[in-house]
Amino acid sequence: MEGKVEIKDLAPQPVLSIRIRTNMEKIGTDIGTAFGALFHYLGELGENPAGMPFTMYHYNMEGEFDETDIDMEAAAPTASVLESKGEIEAK
């Protein structure tokens, strides 16, 4: 299956994110856990997401995707730069 890849220049957007390593067997659970932690923290701060949450996938140095070792981030856009906390990074 071939997918279409688009490269777009976007305006800078502050986010909260959690970077995780997972695999195809655990990806659904791990993404759910990461987004749960992000939204819990947003609730603690009294903040709402400033847009649709998304995931980013990091490829290895050869530009390949290894479905047994997936390096990814779950992210939620924010209206301003917030504070990092534990595994949650403000970017």
Side-chain angles (χ1 to χ4, degrees):
M1 181 174 129
E2 287 194 33
K4 181 179 177 186
V5 175
E6 290 184 48
I7 297 175
K8 295 181 180 181
D9 289 322
L10 302 173
Q13 170 66 60
V15 299
L16 289 177
S17 74
I18 297 177
R19 192 162 180 170
I20 57 176
R21 301 275 313 213
T22 189
N23 60 50
M24 290 306 287
E25 288 181 21
K26 301 184 328 177
I27 195 167
T29 300
D30 290 343
I31 289 173
T33 299
F35 278 123
L38 289 172
F39 284 101
H40 179 79
Y41 183 49
L42 282 167
E44 285 179 9
L45 296 174
E47 298 282 340
N48 290 310
M52 288 294 275
F54 59 94
T55 55
M56 297 178 278
Y57 297 85
H58 302 277
Y59 290 87
N60 64 27
M61 295 301 287
E62 292 80 35
E64 297 173 357
F65 182 77
D66 179 355
E67 61 185 48
T68 64
D69 183 23
I70 301 168
D71 182 5
M72 64 176 293
E73 286 182 72
T78 56
S80 61
V81 177
L82 303 174
E83 293 290 320
S84 296
K85 179 182 177 185
E87 66 181 348
I88 299 172
E89 274 192 80
K91 299 180 177 185

